[in-house]
Amino acid sequence: MAFRSRPSHLPLENDSSSRFLPSIVALMVALLTFSIVGLAVLHDTVGRWATQIDGSLTIQVPPTGLSQLEPKQREAALEERVQTIIAAVSGQPGVARIAELSPDKMVELLEPWLGPNEMISDLPIPRIIEITPSSGFDFNVLEATVSRTAPEAVLDDHRIWLERISDVAVSVEMALLALIGVLFAATTLSVFFATRSGLSIHKSIIELLHLIGAPDGYIAGQFARHTMRLAFLGSLIGIAIALPVSLLIGYLGLRAGWQIPATLHLPLFFILVLIVPVAISSVAWLTAKRTVLKVLRRML
Amino acid sequence: MNDVVSFRNVGVRYESGPEVLRELNFSLTRGSFHFLTGASGAGKSTLMRLLYLALRQTRGEISIFGRDNIRIPRDELPAIRRKIGVVFQDFRLINHLSTFENVALPLRVAGVEDLQIRKNVTELLEWVGLGDQINAIPSRLSGGQQQRVAIARAVISRPALLLADEPTGNVDDRIAMRLLYLFEELNKLGTTVLIATHNRHLIRRFGHKHWLLEGGTIHDLDHRPQA
Ligand SMILES: Nc1ncnc2c1ncn2[C@@H]1O[C@H](COP(=O)(O)OP(=O)(O)O)[C@@H](O)[C@H]1O
Ligand SMILES: [Mg+2]
């Protein structure tokens, strides 16, 4: 009796192992999704900090100890301090540009507080040096140089704080990325073992199908398809659990004044979330197929 | 040649044990009907295993449907197995499938259409007296009912060779007779039948050829009573 048409699909879904695999996959995928959402939020926050850091930083040169001098002399002394700092810092690696904020610009900045031009020019206001860092810039070196050449100058330390926090955040981000990797490996492994133990239950049906003349490829294909569907179902359940919870947390966060992470708008994020079920289903499919073929090869 | 199966000097041993079967020389001609008896442990199931291609002889030659069993390429075995219907001694029903699906398996594997499957399986289940158990799962059935499911599955695809390993062990004589009639019907349509059984009453009642498996080999009792 030859194949008259394509063999039909076997009803494999009613056995007990059919609940085991989706549960495990759902749990792992939920964890995985949480981590991905967490990573997206963190990555975005770190990115926001980084843009603040990437901008220029400033050195304030106050007229400390010069208040007794005449305005003209005072300004000259101040100018000398500024030039000393510029000379010392500009040789340092990672300094793309260093310049004093022009007096006009200063006046412009201060006008709303201090009134028109003529008055300001007589006041003992600090000078501001602006530095645009490039790669290789080292804040600690700058700090040392400045305190050596002009102890009274003030480096804006907002940046230090940001930099340290952002270092920590980057480490956390790396850890989270590693966690996602580990979770993914664990998911793959549990799909692998769940599929294999499921198939040991199925050994009798595999053997029977073999004896009634089902080709190896057909039997393996049936089980692979069945297992893939279970894994996909499990993934969807996992995402269905994790996403609303993440959204809820996000919503509560928004009400508490957070910003929506830009990463969540990226197609990349959704691709990542979608890749999970696809990848896991593929692992399940491949594992089932290979395991069944291996079992069959041992039969005559 | 008209032999569905022929054995020449066949012997079988499991691992390094003694020869369970030896010096087997016989053939089953197309359309023949044989009973096979023998004490428990005589090797009836082993002989069946050789015939449904689940075991290879350790010596001798076996030809099945005109092919040397050892030389058949692996990818051609399924097509040959589909021509053989087997009632296993331990039934081998699939526990999470209904009676209907168990019987339908060989048809599904052979790619028969759903409509045809539904019609044939339902009809056959009626015939073996399980019309009201179509959706039951095997573990809910009695031993005799399970055996009839196993028989229905073996005959559903009208095999060219039907092998039954003690197929009437768990049913009363009335049902055993009915099952034997089923085998005879198939036999009339051209199926070659070999039945291992202990039921001497059946052997006498149906009067087909009778082989005895003893000392690892077949003795032709050729019991042909008042036909
Ligand atoms: N898988 C096996 N491994 C080793 N010995 C076996 C195996 N199957 C059967 N035997 C031995 O082969 C002999 C014949 O067994 P079997 O063919 O089952 O006999 P029967 O079906 O006539 O009762 C017995 O001695 C049995 O112990
Ligand atoms: Mg036996």
Side-chain angles (χ1 to χ4, degrees), chain B residues 73-94:
Chain B
R74 190 182 167 86
D75 61 348
E76 289 177 28
L77 285 171
I80 294 173
R81 289 199 175 99
R82 286 198 291 276
K83 299 204 284 187
I84 305 171
V86 186
V87 183
F88 301 96
Q89 189 168 8
D90 53 357
F91 313 153
R92 301 200 186 197
L93 301 179
I94 304 307

Side-chain angles (χ1 to χ4, degrees), chain B residues 14 20 39-47 49 89 165-166:
Chain B
Y14 286 105
V20 172
S40 179
K44 302 182 293 297
S45 296
T46 303
L47 177 56
R49 257 173 242 144
Q89 189 168 8
D165 200 349
E166 310 206 20

Side-chain angles (χ1 to χ4, degrees), chain B residues 47-64:
Chain B
L47 177 56
M48 291 291 184
R49 257 173 242 144
L50 288 173
L51 289 168
Y52 60 72
L53 302 169
L55 182 70
R56 278 186 182 155
Q57 67 274 31
T58 32
R59 64 184 175 94
E61 280 157 38
I62 297 176
S63 144
I64 189 150

Side-chain angles (χ1 to χ4, degrees), chain B residues 2-3 11 50 79 99 103 107 111 128 131 138 155 210 220:
Chain B
N2 215 22
D3 289 341
L50 288 173
T99 298
V103 175
L107 299 181
V128 298
V155 303
H210 180 190
D220 195 343

Side-chain angles (χ1 to χ4, degrees), chain B:
Chain B
M1 223 168 46
N2 215 22
D3 289 341
V4 171
V5 171
S6 90
F7 278 45
R8 280 211 347 247
N9 301 325
V10 172
V12 173
R13 62 171 84 239
Y14 286 105
E15 324 252 301
S16 56
E19 263 197 331
V20 172
L21 296 175
R22 54 182 186 82
E23 301 305 327
L24 282 180
N25 286 289
F26 69 88
S27 49
L28 296 171
T29 50
R30 195 177 303 282
S32 61
F33 196 126
H34 288 85
F35 284 118
L36 179 70
T37 55
S40 179
K44 302 182 293 297
S45 296
T46 303
L47 177 56
M48 291 291 184
R49 257 173 242 144
L50 288 173
L51 289 168
Y52 60 72
L53 302 169
L55 182 70
R56 278 186 182 155
Q57 67 274 31
T58 32
R59 64 184 175 94
E61 280 157 38
I62 297 176
S63 144
I64 189 150
F65 298 116
R67 311 277 304 269
D68 180 339
N69 71 330
I70 308 258
R71 299 231 172 79
I72 303 171
R74 190 182 167 86
D75 61 348
E76 289 177 28
L77 285 171
I80 294 173
R81 289 199 175 99
R82 286 198 291 276
K83 299 204 284 187
I84 305 171
V86 186
V87 183
F88 301 96
Q89 189 168 8
D90 53 357
F91 313 153
R92 301 200 186 197
L93 301 179
I94 304 307
N95 257 318
H96 70 269
L97 296 185
S98 65
T99 298
F100 180 92
E101 285 302 339
N102 265 285
V103 175
L105 273 184
L107 299 181
R108 296 217 184 279
V109 165
V112 176
E113 291 181 357
D114 271 358
L115 217 66
Q116 193 66 36
I117 291 178
R118 184 142 293 280
K119 182 173 164 293
N120 291 3
V121 173
T122 313
E123 236 171 65
L124 182 58
L125 283 175
E126 293 287 348
W127 215 96
V128 298
L130 291 172
D132 53 348
Q133 302 289 350
I134 276 188
N135 295 312
I137 56 165
S139 56
R140 290 284 157 78
L141 300 177
S142 71
Q145 287 172 323
Q146 291 183 24
Q147 198 155 33
R148 279 181 275 160
V149 176
I151 289 169
R153 187 184 61 200
V155 303
I156 188 70
S157 53
R158 297 210 178 147
L161 173 62
L162 179 75
L163 306 168
D165 200 349
E166 310 206 20
T168 58
N170 287 289
V171 295
D172 62 38
D173 273 2
R174 191 181 54 83
I175 291 176
M177 297 274 278
R178 200 174 159 82
L179 293 176
L180 256 293
Y181 282 128
L182 179 63
F183 293 155
E184 282 204 320
E185 285 302 314
L186 270 176
N187 181 238
K188 280 179 196 147
L189 293 171
T191 296
T192 306
V193 180
L194 177 64
I195 299 174
T197 182
H198 280 302
N199 194 326
R200 295 192 166 270
H201 174 69
L202 279 184
I203 298 172
R204 243 175 281 124
R205 174 72 185 71
F206 283 86
H208 294 292
K209 288 185 178 136
H210 180 190
W211 287 343
L212 173 70
L213 193 52
E214 202 176 55
T217 197
I218 283 179
H219 306 269
D220 195 343
L221 298 187
D222 217 16
H223 229 85
R224 308 209 91 184
Q226 67 286 357

Side-chain angles (χ1 to χ4, degrees), chain A residues 208-291:
Chain A
L208 178 83
L209 288 168
H210 177 71
L211 288 177
I212 64 175
D216 293 357
Y218 169 73
I219 302 173
Q222 290 289 310
F223 278 96
R225 192 183 121 98
H226 170 63
T227 310
M228 183 179 77
R229 282 171 57 180
L230 292 181
F232 192 74
L233 179 76
S235 309
L236 291 188
I237 293 172
I239 289 178
I241 292 169
L243 268 190
V245 174
S246 310
L247 289 180
L248 181 70
I249 293 173
Y251 171 72
L252 294 177
L254 279 184
R255 290 198 5 183
W258 297 358
Q259 295 178 51
I260 299 176
T263 320
L264 288 181
H265 299 302
L266 291 181
L268 183 71
F269 170 75
F270 288 98
I271 288 169
L272 206 56
V273 169
L274 282 180
I275 276 177
V276 170
V278 172
I280 286 171
S281 312
S282 311
V283 169
W285 183 85
L286 197 68
T287 307
K289 184 131 189 156
R290 294 188 56 168
T291 313

